[in-house]
């Protein structure tokens, strides 16, 4: 991994100059999407492994866990790296066992299970020196937030001397979270590609598909790619078909697809085979899948009981996908809203 100072962006440079990664304090780090949070986490992990200790990286997505496993096997060749997600279990052994791994990539659900059955994991849990929590704002999410909070609290109870590094692009209360962790917080607003926002208004819901086709078509005609977020799996598939009928190579992405098909769609979008991708919230976090344009087709989501407005955090998370570094001078976020 590079340590050349002049290659750091302003946000990374500020963190390094303040010595935050090596301060010994728990740290809540808020920086925009694409500003290099993962690179900073890598530095903290490298220092931990070099000191002969273990590190844990928490990611909410299985796909990202596998992506990081492939990525980190290169800079850490002398340390066993293991990914521990729901794809393995009692019937399918992990390629790298818990007690062998020096860098453990886990989902919050997996850490939750490990800390609930801590006696079975006592041969490695006390030896962890650093826990990196990606997408820390998930603490506020209904359902998963409580599980993540419980897992972090139990981990700290089992190993009170470890350090925690929380990463997020969207936090409204980072100081409170830093106090909760007994640490410090830092934020920076530098972003590699600036974002512009605009609205597309519609009078009737039946007008929306045609307006979407025109909006995405203009972006694609100008050489860009578009990522469209919707509220349901069926809508993702229906709108992908609508855009294909309009002559735009388009795929769809949601949790109902198996891992292999989701990976296929992601790869086709990265290579440009697909110029647009219609997705539920499965692509709003983690994966490196930027586009020139992000369209929020639906400004509501189903919370299990009713449709409610998207949270500010969700809007910013999805908007953060706009703008391809080195390819776009700016990214565009389009909100589709009723004229009333």
């Amino acid at each position: 991994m590079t340590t050349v100072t002049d290659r750091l962006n302003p946000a990374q440079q500020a963190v390094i100059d303040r010595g935050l990664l090596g301060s010994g304090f728990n740290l809540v780090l808020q920086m925009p999407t694409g500003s290099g949070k993962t690179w900073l986490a890598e530095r903290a992990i490298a220092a931990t492994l070099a000191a002969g200790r273990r590190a844990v990286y928490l990611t909410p997505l299985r796909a990202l866990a596998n992506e990081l496993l492939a990525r980190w096997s290169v800079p850490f060749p002398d340390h066993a790296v293991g990914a521990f997600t729901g794809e393995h279990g009692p019937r399918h052994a992990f390629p790298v066992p818990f007690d062998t791994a020096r860098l453990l990539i886990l989902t919050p659900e997996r850490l939750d299970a490990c800390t609930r059955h801590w006696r079975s994991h006592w041969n490695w849990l006390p030896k962890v020196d650093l826990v990196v929590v990606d997408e820390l704002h998930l603490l506020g999410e209904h359902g998963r937030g409580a599980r993540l909070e419980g897992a972090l609290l139990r981990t700290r109870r089992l190993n009170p001397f470890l350090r925690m590094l929380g990463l997020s692009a969207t936090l409204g209360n980072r100081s409170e979270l830093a106090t909760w962790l007994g640490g410090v917080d830092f934020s920076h607003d530098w972003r590699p590609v600036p974002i512009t926002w605009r609205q597309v208004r519609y009078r009737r819901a039946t007008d929306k598909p045609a307006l979407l086709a025109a909006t995405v078509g203009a972006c694609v005609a100008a050489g860009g790619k578009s990522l469209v977020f919707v509220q349901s799996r069926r809508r993702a598939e229906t709108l992908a078909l609508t855009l294909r009928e309009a002559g735009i190579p388009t795929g769809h992405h949601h949790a109902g697809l198996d891992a292999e098909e989701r990976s296929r769609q992601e790869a086709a979008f990265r290579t440009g085979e697909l110029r647009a991708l219609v997705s539920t919230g499965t692509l709003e976090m983690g994966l490196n899948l930027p586009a020139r344009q992000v369209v929020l087709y639906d400004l509501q989501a189903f919370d299990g009981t009713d449709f409610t407005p998207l949270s500010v955090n969700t809007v910013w998370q999805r908007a953060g996908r706009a703008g391809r570094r080195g390819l776009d001078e700016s990214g565009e976020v389009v909100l589709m809203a009723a004229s009333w």
Side-chain angles (χ1 to χ4, degrees):
M1 295 179 297
T2 180
T3 58
V4 181
T5 304
D6 60 8
R7 294 181 64 181
L8 302 183
N9 66 50
Q12 293 171 330
Q13 190 67 63
V15 173
I16 298 301
D17 289 346
R18 287 165 173 77
L20 294 173
L21 297 181
S23 68
F25 289 103
N26 293 329
L27 173 64
V28 174
L29 188 60
Q30 179 174 326
M31 293 162 51
T33 300
S35 59
K37 295 187 295 295
T38 304
W39 184 87
L40 289 168
E42 285 181 8
R43 284 188 67 110
I45 290 169
T48 299
L49 297 178
R53 302 186 180 100
R54 298 184 186 214
V56 166
Y57 190 97
L58 290 184
T59 173
L61 301 174
R62 294 182 187 179
L64 184 58
N66 294 327
E67 189 176 292
L68 290 174
L69 175 63
R71 170 177 171 174
W72 284 340
S73 296
V74 176
F76 305 124
D78 299 327
H79 303 280
V81 182
F84 305 90
T85 67
E87 295 174 356
H88 297 86
R91 296 183 179 179
H92 303 281
F94 294 104
V96 178
F98 283 101
D99 58 349
T100 301
R102 310 299 298 178
L103 170 55
L104 299 90
I105 306 168
L106 292 82
T107 58
E109 289 77 14
R110 178 61 65 177
L111 181 63
D112 178 66
C114 290
T115 54
R116 287 179 184 275
H117 302 93
W118 57 269
R119 289 180 179 84
S120 301
H121 298 276
W122 197 242
N123 53 354
W124 65 271
L125 272 172
K127 301 173 185 176
V128 173
D129 185 64
L130 173 70
V131 174
V132 180
V133 188
D134 197 7
E135 312 292 358
L136 183 63
H137 58 270
L138 287 178
L139 282 168
E141 186 176 283
H142 178 71
R144 294 191 79 183
R147 179 169 290 182
L148 174 59
E149 180 182 355
L152 295 181
L153 287 172
R154 283 192 298 275
T155 301
R156 295 186 69 195
R157 183 66 179 268
L158 293 166
N159 186 345
F161 300 107
L162 59 73
R163 295 172 297 132
M164 287 197 173
L165 170 58
L167 309 177
S168 179
T170 54
L171 283 174
N173 62 338
R174 64 177 184 275
S175 296
E176 291 180 39
L177 289 172
T179 300
W180 175 64
L181 291 174
V184 297
D185 67 280
F186 175 83
S187 69
H188 204 286
D189 58 6
W190 181 86
R191 197 179 191 282
V193 182
I195 293 178
T196 61
W197 297 71
R198 69 181 176 96
Q199 297 180 19
V200 170
R201 296 284 185 171
Y202 60 89
R203 291 183 177 274
R204 297 169 299 182
T206 52
D207 298 334
K208 289 179 72 177
L211 289 171
L212 176 68
T215 300
V216 173
C219 174
V220 171
K225 292 192 288 186
S226 184
L227 188 56
V228 182
F229 284 102
V230 297
Q231 64 186 202
S232 71
R233 300 176 183 182
R234 177 176 294 181
R235 181 162 291 177
E237 297 177 6
T238 301
L239 287 178
L241 177 59
T242 298
L243 293 178
R244 286 196 296 273
E245 291 174 344
I248 304 169
T250 305
H252 64 272
H253 193 287
H254 56 67
L257 303 177
D258 60 38
E260 185 177 344
E261 180 58 27
R262 290 198 301 270
S263 295
R264 248 196 314 267
Q265 297 287 325
E266 294 157 15
F269 188 69
R270 286 192 181 100
T271 61
E273 179 185 344
L274 295 178
R275 304 303 300 175
L277 195 57
V278 187
S279 173
T280 57
T282 52
L283 290 179
E284 74 183 40
M285 293 182 296
L287 290 174
N288 180 27
L289 209 70
R292 178 180 299 178
Q293 179 188 74
V294 167
V295 181
L296 273 66
Y297 186 86
D298 296 310
L299 300 182
Q300 303 83 27
F302 189 66
D303 64 3
T305 304
D306 200 359
F307 283 96
T308 58
L310 296 177
S311 68
V312 174
N313 266 0
T314 297
V315 172
W316 276 109
Q317 279 293 132
R318 296 180 179 184
R321 296 288 160 208
R324 298 169 298 174
R325 188 174 184 178
L327 295 175
D328 301 322
E329 293 183 0
S330 66
E332 179 187 49
V333 182
V334 180
L335 308 178
M336 299 195 69
S339 56
W340 46 266

